[in-house]
Amino acid sequence: MSDLSQVVRLPVRRIELDLSFEGAARIAEDLRAHVPGIAAEAAHRIEQRLPEFARPHDPRYAKAMRLGVECAIGHFLELMADPGASSAEVVEFWRQIGVGEASEGRTLDAWQAATRIGTGLAVEQLTECAERLGHRTSPAAIAAIANAALDYLNQVAAFVAEGHADAAARAAGAHQEHRRRLLELLLAGSPRAELRGPAQEADWVLPRTVAAVALRERGPDTRHPVLPPDVLPGLHLSEPCLIVPDPEGPGRARMLEKHLTGWTAAIGPAVAVAEAGASLRLAREALELACQGLISAASPVAAERHMPIVVMMRERVLVEKVIDRRLGPLLGARPAQRYRLAETLLTCLECGFNATEVSSRLHLHPQTVRYRLRQLEDLFGDALHTTSDRLELHMALHAWLALNAEPAAAARDDLSYG
């Protein structure tokens, strides 16, 4: 017979009690009737010392706590009487206690404090009851019972922690799935009315506006950013992104700069929530141009501030044809001059050919600007000052400078004439 046909039985999960002394079983049996009273007193002491467990308007909670204490003491005595007694139901009970604590958003600190109080009182009361019933227990036996109770408590705590961790993990997984689903709906352009339910499930307040952030790792050691909870992450996507609510609010840009260290990022324009997909498309276009070196800006790049180059680069073939036609005279200049003359001409167009203003923006002597202007007039002739197609010339210069960035060449200027 194949080994695969054999049934492999998993070990039974149980609580072990290492407690053995003469008369232990008889003492445990005699103490069973006192368990409800001891449990009630332990629950009362817990409520007195830990206010978070006192819920006078919720009698069911007080009853559940008393039953929990009673379960622990009763099972302890059962194992004291018969070490082989089953623990399956008790183990599951304590796992569910952990689940309940997690579902109410609590850590286990308060529960552990409560169990310490309850265990101390239970050992004290059980010992007194045993003496009243005529059981003469030696100091060694009392110490053994106390040690066994602490060990029992540690085992119970492990099962409670297991249930708590499992429930927390399931809740975190469900929360993550809700947020991913919401991200998908936002990027798909779902109307605001259809986003309300998914946003509530994802614990995300629908903002007035959002902006998408396109991301690209700079290297294999790039770490996942730690982001504020109101930022929806799409780091699981093949092209990672974020959705940032109210992106124009105070401190939002600084927040992105701080948390996206190690990433190249571009942020799309602020839009209504139903237009998040459009914001992401523009962000990704800007990100691609930044990675190509066509946009020179600190990360995150604001796509809205680079709209001319973003829009023009969508039709690169057409842009290159316009460059050849409009900048033909410039392209005929010596390579060392082209970038400086193109930069000067663009700035002149933006400053109305005011040599003083141009020199201030380019950090040049006004005479250097005038010299370059004469060179440009020699190249372009009367067309240099024609206003009818100045927009086309302006766009062509922007595109050419982006496609032919030569910082070193731009920095080379003669002492007097560029």
Side-chain angles (χ1 to χ4, degrees), residues 47 51 53-62:
E47 290 177 344
F53 284 92
R55 299 186 183 182
H57 302 297
D58 188 359
R60 291 178 303 174
Y61 185 82

Side-chain angles (χ1 to χ4, degrees), residues 221-265:
D221 297 329
T222 302
R223 297 181 180 180
H224 276 205
V226 179
L227 299 163
D230 63 342
V231 174
L232 285 180
L235 302 175
H236 62 290
L237 300 175
S238 57
E239 295 182 81
C241 67
L242 309 172
I243 296 294
V244 180
D246 298 320
E248 296 173 318
R252 302 304 266 173
R254 179 73 185 97
M255 177 272 294
L256 289 175
E257 182 181 345
K258 175 183 177 182
H259 291 288
L260 295 180
T261 302
W263 294 79
T264 300

Side-chain angles (χ1 to χ4, degrees), residues 106-129:
R106 291 196 297 263
T107 67
L108 294 179
D109 294 343
W111 180 87
Q112 289 170 347
T115 55
R116 285 193 292 270
I117 293 171
T119 300
L121 183 139
V123 170
E124 175 187 323
Q125 292 291 315
L126 289 172
T127 303
E128 290 180 1
C129 285

Side-chain angles (χ1 to χ4, degrees), residues 41-215:
E41 187 172 347
H44 179 66
R45 183 173 295 185
I46 291 170
E47 290 177 344
Q48 283 184 318
R49 296 188 181 181
L50 299 174
E52 58 266 43
F53 284 92
R55 299 186 183 182
H57 302 297
D58 188 359
R60 291 178 303 174
Y61 185 82
K63 181 180 179 181
M65 183 171 65
R66 188 177 67 254
L67 287 176
V69 177
E70 191 172 326
C71 171
I73 299 173
H75 186 241
F76 178 83
L77 292 177
E78 186 177 1
L79 291 176
M80 186 172 165
D82 178 11
S86 172
S87 301
E89 291 185 6
V90 174
V91 166
E92 183 57 27
F93 172 82
W94 289 114
R95 286 190 81 262
Q96 291 305 314
I97 290 294
V99 170
E101 292 296 292
S103 67
E104 294 200 17
R106 291 196 297 263
T107 67
L108 294 179
D109 294 343
W111 180 87
Q112 289 170 347
T115 55
R116 285 193 292 270
I117 293 171
T119 300
L121 183 139
V123 170
E124 175 187 323
Q125 292 291 315
L126 289 172
T127 303
E128 290 180 1
C129 285
E131 291 179 351
R132 285 199 302 270
L133 293 171
H135 296 287
R136 298 191 176 279
T137 50
S138 66
I142 294 174
I145 293 173
N147 287 333
L150 292 175
D151 182 55
Y152 180 90
L153 174 61
N154 289 335
Q155 294 179 70
V156 165
F159 289 117
V160 173
E162 181 182 288
H164 189 279
D166 287 349
R170 286 197 300 271
H175 185 252
Q176 183 182 58
E177 285 303 312
H178 287 315
R179 287 169 74 84
R180 287 185 175 183
R181 175 58 179 156
L182 177 60
L183 179 78
E184 292 174 2
L185 294 172
L186 282 164
L187 297 182
S190 301
R192 188 181 185 90
E194 294 180 10
L195 293 170
R196 291 194 179 96
Q200 186 173 9
E201 290 178 342
D203 193 24
W204 196 70
V205 179
L206 273 178
R208 185 179 59 85
T209 60
V210 296
V213 180
L215 300 172

